[in-house]
Amino acid sequence: MSDSVQTSIGPGADWSAPATRKAVAVRRRRSNLFAVRKGLDKATSTAMSLAFFAVLLVLWSAVSGLGLVSDFFLPSPLAVLATARQLYFQDGFVLDLAVSIYRVGVGFLLAALIAVPLGLLMGSFQLFRSMLEPCLAFMRYMPATAFIPLLVLWLGIDDAQKFSVIFVGTFFTLTLMVMVSTLSVPIALIESAMMLGASPARLVRKVILPAAKPAIFNDLRIVLGWAWTYIVIAEIVAASSGVGYVILKASRYMDTATIFVGIISIGLVGLTSDLLFIAAGRRLFPYLQRSGS
């Protein structure tokens, strides 16, 4: 037990008493709040997350309730909740949300299936990196939204165009992120495997890929959030269903409450997918949790 905790409790304290143990645990939790790279227990972490959301909700309610901003520009939380109830239970908004989820899932999966192995090759072999990195870096700076008119011309306004927008928006950056994650594998692991006679293919499959998998998994988690940005843009430009289409239709009638419902719904879906990624990462890479990473 640390000297600071002993001093604050007292040298003559009964450490076996439940009250004393509880006081020590509370002081430890408080000291961990601002410790660098120190993990928090699940209850404290969840409480902090919920508290921040609650603060945002209170501020939103206060701004709208006090009339600081007109309801036309910022509807109250109760108004948004009433609109959400109507959209979800009467207007079939669930189907629009499901369509957007489907489009994001397919487009992102197509990008990941190509980007991950390509980025792995680029991070493992200088030949692929020299050949592809400049081109991908060049393409990465081209806004995906600028391709939408061309994609509409080439593919029409069906789902293929939506998949393509997500693919263009995520593929190039994801490939480069996977490459960087692969390059972060410690060279000592690679040299050790080479000394043991591992072939290049076996080296990639048995050493580099397992070592880079946690970072690549995190890359997928981050880029998935970008896919939602692109699907909304694609559905605003040319679509007859989806969250983007509902937002566009609401904007024509200045229905800000519906716009808020669409935006918040996307945020909730994104948060859910993020939590699923985190849970999957804990199951796939339990050794990172044990090591405190």
Side-chain angles (χ1 to χ4, degrees):
M1 188 170 299
S2 64
D3 294 338
S4 60
V5 174
Q6 290 184 10
T7 303
S8 61
I9 298 298
D14 183 8
W15 300 103
S16 62
T20 303
R21 293 198 301 269
K22 183 177 180 181
V24 172
V26 169
R27 292 181 183 275
R28 280 180 174 174
R29 284 198 295 268
R30 290 176 179 174
S31 64
N32 287 343
L33 288 178
F34 298 99
V36 178
R37 297 292 296 272
K38 184 73 173 180
L40 296 175
D41 60 272
K42 187 175 181 180
T44 302
S45 181
T46 303
M48 290 294 181
S49 300
L50 295 176
F52 190 76
F53 275 106
V55 169
L56 293 179
L57 183 60
V58 169
L59 290 176
W60 180 10
S61 301
V63 170
S64 60
L66 296 175
L68 299 178
V69 179
S70 171
D71 289 343
F72 179 79
F73 299 103
L74 182 66
S76 67
L78 291 179
V80 173
L81 183 61
T83 302
R85 187 182 299 112
Q86 178 181 346
L87 287 174
Y88 275 99
F89 296 105
Q90 298 179 21
D91 298 342
F93 182 70
V94 174
L95 297 178
D96 290 291
L97 188 60
V99 167
S100 294
I101 293 174
Y102 161 71
R103 290 168 176 165
V104 168
V106 173
F108 180 73
L109 181 62
L110 291 174
L113 288 175
I114 302 176
V116 171
L118 190 60
L120 183 65
L121 289 175
M122 292 171 62
S124 302
F125 302 100
Q126 181 64 46
L127 170 65
F128 291 98
R129 188 157 70 252
S130 299
M131 182 171 55
L132 298 175
E133 184 179 6
C135 180
L136 293 177
F138 169 73
M139 297 292 291
R140 180 170 68 96
Y141 286 99
M142 294 184 178
T145 53
F147 285 92
I148 291 179
L150 290 174
L151 294 174
V152 170
L153 180 64
W154 294 338
L155 302 173
I157 60 174
D158 293 331
D159 284 349
Q161 179 259 342
K162 312 300 185 298
F163 301 153
S164 300
V165 171
I166 297 172
F167 183 91
V168 172
T170 58
F171 169 74
F172 304 108
T173 300
L174 180 58
T175 303
L176 294 175
M177 291 176 68
V178 172
M179 180 195 72
V180 172
S181 297
T182 304
L183 288 172
S184 66
V185 174
I187 192 64
L189 292 178
I190 300 174
E191 291 177 344
S192 299
M194 292 174 64
M195 291 178 61
L196 293 174
S199 64
R202 189 174 181 82
L203 184 63
V204 173
R205 190 173 65 254
K206 295 295 186 180
V207 178
I208 297 178
L209 178 58
K213 272 196 298 187
I216 294 174
F217 190 81
N218 197 51
D219 294 338
L220 293 171
R221 171 192 165 196
I222 294 172
V223 176
L224 177 59
W226 301 354
W228 275 101
T229 302
Y230 297 116
I231 189 58
V232 171
I233 295 173
E235 290 175 345
I236 286 177
V237 173
S240 57
S241 61
V243 178
Y245 169 74
V246 173
I247 291 175
L248 175 63
K249 187 168 63 174
S251 67
R252 293 172 179 167
Y253 299 98
M254 302 299 177
D255 186 0
T256 52
T258 298
I259 296 174
F260 266 78
V261 172
I263 294 173
I264 293 173
S265 297
I266 292 174
L268 291 175
V269 171
L271 178 61
T272 302
S273 66
D274 201 56
L275 293 176
L276 291 175
F277 259 95
I278 293 174
R282 288 173 177 167
R283 293 186 66 87
L284 292 173
F285 315 113
Y287 52 88
L288 296 180
Q289 305 302 316
R290 290 196 296 267
S291 63
S293 301

